[in-house]
Amino acid sequence: MKKFAIILSGCGVYDGSEIHETVLTMLAIDQSKASYQIFAPDIDHTHVVNHLTGEEMKETRNVLTESARIARGNALPLSDLKVKDFNALIFPGVFLAAKNLSTYAFEGKTFKVNPQVEKVVREAIENKTLIGALCISPVILARIIENVRLTIGNDPATNENLKEMGVETVDTTHGEIVVDEKNKVYSTPCYMLESSISQIADGANNLIKKMMNDLND
Amino acid sequence: MKKFAIILSGCGVYDGSEIHETVLTMLAIDQSKASYQIFAPDIDHTHVVNHLTGEEMKETRNVLTESARIARGNALPLSDLKVKDFNALIFPGVFLAAKNLSTYAFEGKTFKVNPQVEKVVREAIENKTLIGALCISPVILARIIENVRLTIGNDPATNENLKEMGVETVDTTHGEIVVDEKNKVYSTPCYMLESSISQIADGANNLIKKMMNDLND
């Protein structure tokens, strides 16, 4: 049975992992007769956002604890992730590029990536472990993997930032998958495009199907 | 286009709405070419649970604000729900019977239902608006609708409580739907049974398909 590690950054699009993309990725993996384990860094949220108003809340929440909501309790610290035990890593998306996993949302092109995230991505590249990324989360990979090829849909500002970083971006529409054959990176735009929840399911299904095909080759 | 009102109680199985059941209900409705709007009571959580440890947290969270995480911001106060504008109401499940929507988890058989929830359910019954309930949430309906027929899977203790309340419970397994034709109540067990996420998708799909068939009759 193929094993996926899903790396989360909380629970909610505006300050953590996008919930629909995460749940529909879990479903796609389970429907492909593969298994998954959820991981998240055991750190404080960069900030907490009221999802009704969009305003910042004066609260502190823990990324691992909040990620456990989507995982029904079964979430592990990212520091426990042994990449060699998995066939693939998956990063669901989050508003403005993986708050909690990187600083892109706050610092733009000069952003930094969480060191635990950088470590597992580098191990995945070394081990030829597949890496999947939905929505804006390919931006994280752009900082770590030189000249990576990926999609973030067709957002001009993000594309411009990525091109300046030497990334080959490919414009895509709903449900399309871009594969970087050299680095084994699979990406799909999901909510980087104005989407229905069915289109998010299509993106997640197509991503996992393509990764499973390549794993079974 | 048929319109569903989804009534949430927060964001997370142990203190609010079960996230997988909610997202997969939203997906099933969208894939049926119907539309949905999310509602939740604008009240404080009964309590907040750390989903990693199961322990209570010394925090206050608002049910509507947290529900907005699953809704990507598009959640309305339950007090704004005009039942006559919708073809159906849906209650996704939650651990131990709809904390925040009722007191069943804390008071057992003598539990009380949130007055706003009771009001919209009574209006639905009067208007012949369909009512769908996943997992443990049929228990809420048992308090409001006399001699209702429903399923909560096959949990002996809950079945016993419901029978004492005059409810006709039907044991079910994964993906099965029980229909109360008189009251137009549709229920399915979902996570009341030990389930994979694919089995939750089956339950949500079968529930919405059955309700859509009856709406289109």
Side-chain angles (χ1 to χ4, degrees), chain B residues 151 170-178 187-190 202-203 206-207:
Chain B
T151 186
V170 183
D171 280 0
T172 47
T173 185
H174 301 290
E176 288 187 326
I177 310 299
V178 168
S187 52
T188 189
C190 284
D202 292 343
N206 293 345
L207 185 81

Side-chain angles (χ1 to χ4, degrees), chain A residues 133-143 148 150-152 162 187-188:
Chain A
L134 292 77
C135 190
I136 187 75
S137 65
V139 166
I140 304 171
L141 307 176
R143 173 59 81 217
V148 65
L150 52 76
T151 186
I152 46 87
L162 290 171
S187 52
T188 188

Side-chain angles (χ1 to χ4, degrees), chain A residues 15 20 30 66 69-70 198, chain B residues 15 20 30 69-70 198:
Chain A
D15 59 14
H20 306 180
D30 192 59
E66 297 308 313
R69 291 180 173 270
I70 309 186
S198 300
Chain B
D15 60 13
H20 306 179
D30 192 59
R69 292 180 172 269
I70 310 186
S198 299

Side-chain angles (χ1 to χ4, degrees), chain B residues 23-60:
Chain B
V23 170
L24 297 173
T25 298
M26 292 163 73
L27 179 64
I29 293 170
D30 192 59
Q31 287 180 335
S32 298
K33 310 295 178 204
S35 70
Y36 57 81
Q37 173 62 49
I38 287 174
F39 294 89
D42 185 6
I43 58 176
D44 281 348
H45 267 245
T46 314
H47 63 176
V48 179
V49 174
N50 178 320
H51 278 55
L52 207 55
T53 63
E55 285 166 15
E56 199 166 331
M57 299 171 84
K58 287 200 168 87
E59 281 193 31
T60 305

Side-chain angles (χ1 to χ4, degrees), chain B residues 43 78 91 97-98 100-104 107-122 137-145 165:
Chain B
I43 58 176
L78 184 55
F91 293 89
N100 304 325
L101 300 188
S102 89
T103 61
Y104 181 78
E107 298 176 7
K109 286 180 290 191
T110 60
F111 72 102
K112 289 175 282 299
V113 173
N114 171 289
Q116 285 175 16
V117 172
E118 180 162 351
K119 177 172 174 285
V120 296
V121 169
R122 290 205 186 281
S137 64
V139 166
I140 303 171
L141 306 177
R143 175 58 81 217
I144 308 172
I145 309 170
M165 292 167 65

Side-chain angles (χ1 to χ4, degrees), chain A residues 24-112:
Chain A
L24 297 173
T25 298
M26 294 163 72
L27 178 65
I29 293 170
D30 192 59
Q31 287 180 334
S32 298
K33 310 295 178 205
S35 70
Y36 57 81
Q37 173 62 50
I38 287 174
F39 294 90
D42 185 6
I43 57 176
D44 282 348
H45 267 245
T46 313
H47 63 177
V48 179
V49 174
N50 178 321
H51 279 55
L52 207 55
T53 62
E55 284 166 17
E56 200 165 330
M57 298 171 84
K58 287 198 169 94
E59 281 193 29
T60 305
R61 296 189 186 181
N62 178 281
V63 173
L64 176 58
T65 303
E66 297 308 313
S67 299
R69 291 180 173 270
I70 309 186
R72 295 172 53 84
N74 188 10
L76 297 173
L78 183 57
S79 54
D80 286 1
L81 170 54
K82 292 186 175 54
V83 174
K84 65 174 173 42
D85 292 346
F86 290 87
N87 303 96
L89 312 184
I90 302 274
F91 294 90
V94 61
F95 194 63
L96 286 176
K99 292 175 185 179
N100 304 324
L101 301 188
S102 89
T103 61
Y104 181 79
F106 305 99
E107 298 176 5
K109 285 180 291 191
T110 60
F111 73 102
K112 289 175 282 296

